[in-house]
Amino acid sequence: QDVWRYAHEEFEDDVQDVFAYKFKEYVEDNSDHTVQVFRFGELGESDDIMEQTQAGILQFVNQSPGFTGSLIPEAQIFFIPYLLPTDEETVIDFFNNSVAINEMFPEMYSEQGLELLQMYPEGEMVITTDEVVRSPEDMRGKNIRTMTNPLLSETYRAFGASPTPLPWGEVYGGLQTGIIDGQENPIFWIESGGLYEVSPNLLFTGHGWFTTALMANQDFYDGLSSDDQQLVQDATEFAYDYIIDHISGLADDMLEAILERSDDVTVTRLDEDEIQAFRERAPQVEERFLEMTGDRGAELLEQFKADLEAVSN
Amino acid sequence: MSDSPTQEHRSSLPGILGHIDNFLAKAESLILALGVLLMALNTVANVVSRFTLGESLHFSEEVNRILIVMITFAGIGYAARHGRHIRMSAIYDALPYSARRVLMIIIAAITGTIMFLLCYWSIGYVHGNLRTGRVLPTLGYPIWFIYIWVPIGLAVTGIQYWMTAIKNITTRDGEIYLSTAVTDGYDEEEEMLAELQDELAEKQDKPGTRSQQEKD
Amino acid sequence: MATIMIVTMIGLLLLGFPMMIPLTVAAIIGFYMTFNGFGQMGTMIQQMMGGIRPTALIAVPMFILAADIMTRGQSAQRLINMVMAFIGHIKGGLAVSTAASCTLFGAVSGSTQATVVAIGSPLRPRMLKAGYKDPFSLALIINASDIAFLIPPSIGMIIYGVISGTSIRELFIAGIGPGILILFLFSLYCIAYAYINKVPTEPKATWGERGQSIVQALWPLGFPVLIVGGIYGGIFSPTEAAAACVLYALILEFGVFRSLNTRDIYKIAKSTGLITAVVFILVAVGTGFSWIISFARIPQTMLEAIGIMDMGPNGVLITIAIAFFIACMFVDPIVVILVLTPIFAPAIQASGLDPVLVGVMITLQVAIGSATPPFGCDIFTAIAVFKRPYWEVIKGTPPFVFLLLLSAGLLVVFPQIALFLPELAFR
Ligand code: NA
Ligand code: NA
């Protein structure tokens, strides 16, 4: 008979929203509790809903680790390019088995009063540009919009581009007028934001996956009966299993929808040699990450690489 | 669009309080003016850097965020001091003098109290930010630091409104005070508009030369 | 809870409290009732900070500053003199030009508040001088600025497009028809007003005088070039264009015309800061207010109560229009779009309405709402900038609001006004 409030950072039918509604469905089918889902903007932006969860007003929050950087700097590790596997199957393997994700991160979140329930991938990052790009040389001089984050900026600097921070509301207009020449986002955002209309050259570099995380207020979670804790865990697993299925078809469907609607769109998938040209530039971002996070970051990075090794073989 | 009615703020408070008040008034206007000019400079610098160096100033957005909080919360105190907060006064204006005076005392006292409440809650909020250690992603500054203006501005505004209430209680000169320095009524603005129109008429006659009225 | 909040708010408002108080007290009541005490007031402060966080808001003080410098110097006069040399002899010409300037400037700058200041500051004195009444001039400036919401690029349409998964490109094109329709209706009203009130015209200028006025305006003509060329040429974002205008205005008035000195600049900057603060504090507390409304799920409860799912397409469209209109009377337009759009999504889908049409209707209502009493950002901005009493600023709005509502009605009956262009272009 309790109302549990759950906020995330995306809009209707986006990956986080689908996850939230699956969670809600399971909880409501298997208990007397109800779950109220709040989408982006309804209770503020990403940082706001995180604070509200820490304050205990919200019980659940879905925030991408990249945005958690101001609270847990190590969480920005997901911005290091080519740290996650490039193909989908290995990525899912990685999320299921990684020690870093399933053991180290929960500890860090718990220091901030958060019970980390699940980290999950939303989709591969895709770069869109005004011209077809295949190499770091092609990237030279291009203003690529990034979120305001030092590691993302470093990534695009490493790739040869000029990282240009721009608030989200100005991205579409900025691409249209040419103040920026490109941007990066998972494909479903490129579709729903109509970004392909104004930035039609899609580039799959395999450099990263947009990752996100569901967490609960820790005092709330600790105060639940063991049955209810189990319910939360089961609901999370139910939603996670569904979402893994959901995203595997999603990228292709979205790409198909985009190609159907626009004749200007080009799709470039880099081959292994071309990827190598970008991958060679990744260490400079790693260095920046280590600079920002010190020993704990180093330990996490090492574990990440070991986990990656484990699933790749 | 001109300056506040009182060009130089002169505190009506006695002794050392008056000096503090005058100092605060100066500090507020300095923060307002510099804040706005820095914002322009910062934004233009970002464009210039993008074109000449091919690299945006990554701290630019965060600097503007700091400035906007500073301007807003220094500005509400300044606006209270000069009676410039927006209000819908149609019914109030229609009331007789004594009723308006009582109403103004109530309005000022309640407004002052609400400002103090918000100030108290904002201290709690700033303290919470201090505890979680949240930082601005690029500049690396702690976030509580940019919000430090919030409780200060709210407190100054609350004090201004309470002083207005007291001024209206203690003064019986047939005037109603919107703030410690500004009396009710829009006559001054009317005059200023007339002045502005004269000025315009003059400028029109000799567009190339500098109008005589506008000296230093 | 909603009733107590609204009644308190309107009561305090009418008594003449500073505008931030009714909103704040209503929000405090909402928090108190929702959380059984004052334990969560930190979130009210957090949302106030969130309200003034968006980077795009920076354009507002920047355009205010640029406009103030231009108006107190000579740039604005020279530009207006040039326009007057061409249209001064036409009945209602100045009012129509003001409306058109607001539309154009708003379209490009993307900020209706900035438009109120940038076009209003120089043109309002000129309109008064030409014999237009102040309430008419103020209402014209406020309402014409809002046409900007409909003309691309429109931040409201972008946000609606993303939330609802509607093509932003189609939305942009669909907004043009209604935008022009409203400008046309406003212009008719301006001309009618000029005839009815016998607003005098100026003698027709000779071509020599016109040439002279263009020469005089050469430097200030850099402003439209900077804004339009800069933004569409991909050099600036709208916010940056605003800051660039400040720089250019400083160079002109300080260096070229030598009409202002350092002391003037300091005073102008201070006045800009003051206006920014009194408007932004309202945006801030308004965001706190809307948070508690959203948290308590008040809009959902209301829509369920009126049975939105069983209405036909026109019923849904009209309900949307009314809901957005009312919400925008109290809350910032962007926040309204973010909160209400998803709530209406199921009803829109069920009714089979064209999402592009819905988007245009929402944008139109948002535009009307921000110029409508009691709470409207553009009204606040006009009060703060022109220092006129609240009543005088809103006194002249009813005919304009009527024309805007008429346009909304026309849109329900003839959706082609919006859909004609996108159908021509894409379907
Ligand atoms: Na626009
Ligand atoms: Na309004």
Side-chain angles (χ1 to χ4, degrees):
Chain A
Q1 69 287 31
D2 278 349
V3 176
W4 290 349
R5 293 187 173 86
Y6 179 132
H8 65 73
E9 321 164 295
E10 291 178 354
F11 298 116
E12 191 179 4
D13 290 342
D14 289 340
V15 174
Q16 291 185 19
D17 193 53
V18 173
F19 192 101
Y21 273 88
K22 280 290 153 191
F23 181 91
K24 175 184 163 78
E25 178 188 320
Y26 188 91
V27 169
E28 292 182 354
D29 285 351
N30 294 285
S31 75
D32 293 339
H33 304 300
T34 43
V35 177
Q36 282 182 358
V37 177
F38 294 89
R39 301 186 175 111
F40 178 87
E42 288 191 64
L43 298 180
E45 295 178 8
S46 195
D47 278 349
D48 299 335
I49 53 176
M50 175 57 97
E51 275 181 32
Q52 289 160 25
T53 308
Q54 288 180 300
I57 297 179
L58 302 174
Q59 286 70 46
F60 299 94
V61 66
N62 194 324
Q63 188 185 48
S64 303
F67 291 113
T68 316
S70 62
L71 222 47
I72 307 169
E74 295 84 358
Q76 298 174 81
I77 196 168
F78 291 98
F79 284 145
I80 299 178
Y82 297 106
L83 192 58
L84 290 178
T86 41
D87 72 296
E88 196 170 274
E89 220 170 290
T90 328
V91 168
I92 290 166
D93 243 12
F94 179 83
F95 273 88
N96 287 336
N97 300 312
S98 160
V99 176
I101 286 184
N102 297 301
E103 286 169 33
M104 293 176 81
F105 267 118
E107 265 174 56
M108 293 178 198
Y109 277 83
S110 138
E111 284 168 22
Q112 295 289 341
L114 297 162
E115 177 77 26
L116 179 62
L117 295 171
Q118 185 70 56
M119 276 189 168
Y120 61 95
E122 287 193 48
E124 184 182 348
M125 290 309 262
V126 179
I127 306 175
T128 71
T129 46
D130 56 340
E131 294 170 313
V132 176
V133 166
R134 300 201 77 98
S135 65
E137 286 69 42
D138 293 344
M139 277 278 189
R140 192 176 303 275
K142 291 222 176 293
N143 291 332
I144 304 292
R145 181 266 172 175
T146 59
M147 293 182 293
T148 311
N149 182 289
L151 276 184
L152 264 182
S153 300
E154 195 63 43
T155 299
Y156 279 89
R157 217 170 281 136
F159 284 178
S162 304
T164 309
L166 204 64
W168 178 79
E170 287 184 18
V171 173
Y172 188 97
L175 288 168
Q176 194 168 36
T177 61
I179 176 172
I180 42 174
D181 308 308
Q183 57 84 42
E184 68 154 29
N185 258 313
I187 190 96
F188 70 91
W189 268 87
I190 294 169
E191 194 270 345
S192 69
L195 298 176
Y196 62 91
E197 292 171 357
V198 284
S199 186
N201 300 294
L202 276 51
L203 175 65
F204 289 76
T205 50
H207 73 277
W209 279 71
F210 193 74
T211 300
T212 194
L214 171 65
M215 54 217 110
N217 173 295
Q218 197 156 43
D219 291 339
F220 156 78
Y221 184 81
D222 291 343
L224 290 176
S225 67
S226 59
D227 281 356
D228 277 345
Q229 284 187 355
Q230 194 55 47
L231 173 74
V232 169
Q233 293 295 345
D234 292 346
T236 306
E237 202 174 304
F238 175 76
Y240 176 71
D241 288 345
Y242 184 88
I243 218 70
I244 291 302
D245 244 15
H246 176 74
I247 60 165
S248 68
L250 186 67
D252 293 338
D253 292 350
M254 289 295 153
L255 191 57
E256 207 170 293
I258 289 173
L259 288 169
E260 202 170 285
R261 259 179 269 151
S262 169
D263 298 331
D264 302 332
V265 170
T266 69
V267 178
T268 308
R269 292 182 193 273
L270 299 184
D271 62 32
E272 203 38 55
D273 285 349
E274 288 168 325
I275 285 181
Q276 192 52 33
F278 281 99
R279 188 184 312 217
E280 276 167 5
R281 294 165 174 248
Q284 124 181 31
V285 188
E286 269 185 35
E287 267 166 47
R288 184 89 172 84
F289 173 76
L290 292 175
E291 244 170 62
M292 287 164 55
T293 55
D295 289 347
R296 253 172 50 147
E299 202 185 323
L300 186 69
L301 184 61
E302 210 166 295
Q303 186 61 50
F304 246 77
K305 288 181 170 170
D307 294 345
L308 182 61
E309 193 73 22
V311 291
S312 305
N313 301 323
Chain B
M1 179 159 62
S2 176
D3 222 41
S4 336
T6 38
Q7 295 292 331
E8 263 313 297
H9 181 75
R10 281 271 156 263
S11 176
S12 53
L13 290 175
I16 181 95
L17 284 178
H19 287 295
I20 295 175
D21 191 32
N22 283 333
F23 169 78
L24 273 178
K26 282 231 167 61
E28 281 165 10
S29 44
L30 193 70
I31 291 171
L32 279 182
L34 287 186
V36 168
L37 291 173
L38 278 176
M39 192 179 270
L41 188 71
N42 173 41
T43 312
V44 172
N46 187 31
V47 181
V48 171
S49 167
R50 194 169 63 229
F51 274 87
T52 57
L53 310 173
E55 174 91 358
S56 294
L57 300 176
H58 290 261
F59 55 81
S60 186
E61 195 180 320
E62 289 175 3
V63 169
N64 277 347
R65 214 177 124 185
I66 295 172
L67 290 173
I68 201 73
V69 174
M70 201 174 91
I71 291 168
T72 304
F73 285 87
I76 55 169
Y78 188 84
R81 189 183 292 279
H82 293 281
R84 286 288 303 273
H85 277 289
I86 297 165
R87 46 195 286 266
M88 193 155 138
S89 53
I91 292 181
Y92 168 91
D93 287 342
L95 295 172
Y97 169 76
S98 54
R100 271 189 300 155
R101 182 160 160 270
V102 172
L103 188 53
M104 183 49 79
I105 292 169
I106 295 171
I107 287 175
I110 292 183
T111 305
T113 309
I114 299 281
M115 290 297 120
F116 286 142
L117 275 175
L118 285 178
C119 171
Y120 172 73
W121 290 323
S122 70
I123 291 171
Y125 180 71
V126 174
H127 184 249
N129 267 298
L130 184 68
R131 227 180 29 236
T132 53
R134 198 181 281 279
V135 293
L136 286 169
T138 304
L139 289 171
Y141 286 165
I143 282 189
W144 67 266
F145 187 71
I146 74 173
Y147 292 147
I148 201 80
W149 296 104
V150 179
I152 297 175
L154 289 166
V156 169
T157 313
I159 293 170
Q160 281 298 330
Y161 274 106
W162 264 104
M163 277 168 39
T164 308
I166 292 166
K167 180 111 186 171
N168 278 307
I169 294 172
T170 55
T171 322
R172 290 175 178 275
D173 56 0
E175 295 278 10
I176 292 174
Y177 289 85
L178 279 181
S179 74
T180 49
V182 182
T183 54
D184 204 352
Y186 286 86
D187 314 310
E188 284 174 87
E189 271 84 350
E190 293 281 302
E191 273 166 39
M192 234 148 41
L193 191 71
E195 219 173 89
L196 182 71
Q197 290 186 1
D198 293 345
E199 207 176 293
L200 285 177
E202 192 157 320
K203 264 187 191 167
Q204 220 180 350
D205 297 336
K206 35 179 177 171
T209 57
R210 189 171 162 192
S211 146
Q212 285 306 325
Q213 281 172 319
E214 288 182 64
K215 34 75 281 169
D216 316 325
Chain C
M1 177 177 124
T3 323
I4 300 178
M5 285 172 73
I6 304 271
V7 169
T8 312
M9 183 159 70
I10 292 175
L12 295 177
L13 188 73
L14 293 177
L15 282 174
F17 275 81
M19 215 78 161
M20 58 190 169
I21 294 300
L23 278 169
T24 310
V25 172
I28 292 174
I29 292 174
F31 272 88
Y32 184 86
M33 292 177 72
T34 307
F35 299 112
N36 298 316
F38 294 123
Q40 299 295 354
M41 292 312 295
T43 301
M44 166 86 187
I45 306 291
Q46 177 208 51
Q47 288 303 301
M48 286 173 63
M49 298 304 110
I52 56 173
R53 191 187 306 142
T55 328
L57 277 179
I58 305 289
V60 176
M62 290 301 97
F63 275 121
I64 293 177
L65 183 58
D68 206 359
I69 297 172
M70 287 169 72
T71 313
R72 293 217 224 177
Q74 294 176 1
S75 307
Q77 267 319 301
R78 290 169 184 241
L79 279 175
I80 297 168
N81 287 343
M82 184 191 79
V83 175
M84 286 305 279
F86 285 86
I87 54 97
H89 62 288
I90 302 166
K91 205 80 172 161
L94 180 58
V96 173
S97 310
T98 303
S101 310
C102 285
T103 309
L104 283 179
F105 183 87
V108 177
S109 75
S111 164
T112 60
Q113 286 155 275
T115 312
V116 168
V117 189
I119 305 297
S121 323
L123 280 173
R124 173 172 161 263
R126 192 54 173 256
M127 285 186 71
L128 295 179
K129 190 160 157 272
Y132 294 91
K133 291 258 165 29
D134 206 15
F136 171 81
S137 310
L138 288 166
L140 173 67
I141 291 161
I142 291 171
N143 285 281
S145 298
D146 286 337
I147 303 175
F149 270 121
L150 287 161
I151 309 233
S154 156
I155 184 81
M157 283 182 170
I158 291 177
I159 291 174
Y160 169 83
V162 173
I163 299 179
S164 64
T166 312
S167 161
I168 294 164
R169 184 180 282 188
E170 284 188 35
L171 282 168
F172 275 5
I173 289 184
I176 295 173
I180 291 173
L181 171 73
I182 294 168
L183 179 60
F184 176 73
L185 291 175
F186 281 5
S187 300
L188 287 183
Y189 174 57
C190 286
I191 294 167
Y193 178 93
Y195 273 102
I196 294 166
N197 292 282
K198 304 198 170 53
V199 177
T201 54
E202 291 182 4
K204 190 169 178 172
T206 65
W207 282 104
E209 285 166 336
R210 287 177 180 177
Q212 180 69 24
S213 74
I214 294 178
V215 172
Q216 284 289 335
L218 271 184
W219 277 106
L221 277 171
F223 284 104
V225 172
L226 202 63
I227 297 171
V228 180
I231 294 175
Y232 286 112
I235 300 170
F236 307 130
S237 72
T239 314
E240 291 167 349
C245 281
V246 170
L247 189 69
Y248 187 63
L250 279 176
I251 292 171
L252 282 196
E253 303 297 350
F254 218 57
V256 181
F257 301 149
R258 299 183 175 280
S259 52
L260 297 176
N261 59 33
T262 325
R263 220 184 132 79
D264 295 330
I265 303 294
Y266 179 80
K267 273 159 55 180
I268 292 172
K270 186 173 76 177
S271 147
T272 300
L274 174 67
I275 295 164
T276 308
V278 297
V279 174
F280 280 17
I281 192 68
L282 291 170
V283 175
V285 295
T287 311
F289 171 82
S290 67
W291 186 90
I292 192 68
I293 296 267
S294 178
F295 185 83
R297 305 238 133 178
I298 289 172
Q300 282 92 336
T301 318
M302 283 175 153
L303 284 185
E304 261 169 46
I306 61 165
I308 183 81
M309 291 307 286
D310 306 322
M311 295 177 175
N314 279 350
V316 173
L317 193 59
I318 292 168
T319 311
I320 289 175
I322 295 172
F324 276 80
F325 175 74
I326 294 175
C328 286
M329 285 168 70
F330 297 100
V331 176
D332 183 68
I334 303 298
V335 176
V336 172
I337 298 178
L338 280 171
V339 172
L340 287 188
T341 309
I343 298 173
F344 276 104
I348 297 170
Q349 218 157 21
S351 65
L353 276 168
D354 187 331
V356 173
L357 178 65
V358 175
V360 173
M361 178 58 88
I362 285 176
T363 315
L364 174 60
Q365 293 308 329
V366 159
I368 304 174
S370 36
T372 321
F375 296 94
C377 252
D378 297 344
I379 296 177
F380 300 151
T381 311
I383 293 171
V385 171
F386 305 129
K387 299 216 269 183
R388 302 312 304 150
Y390 191 94
W391 178 241
E392 200 173 318
V393 172
I394 62 166
K395 202 158 61 178
T397 47
F400 290 100
V401 174
F402 169 76
L403 289 176
L404 286 165
L405 292 175
L406 176 70
S407 312
L410 287 172
L411 201 55
V412 175
V413 185
F414 306 108
Q416 289 309 316
I417 298 169
L419 299 179
F420 169 72
L421 282 175
E423 265 166 24
L424 198 70
F426 300 116
R427 296 178 183 185

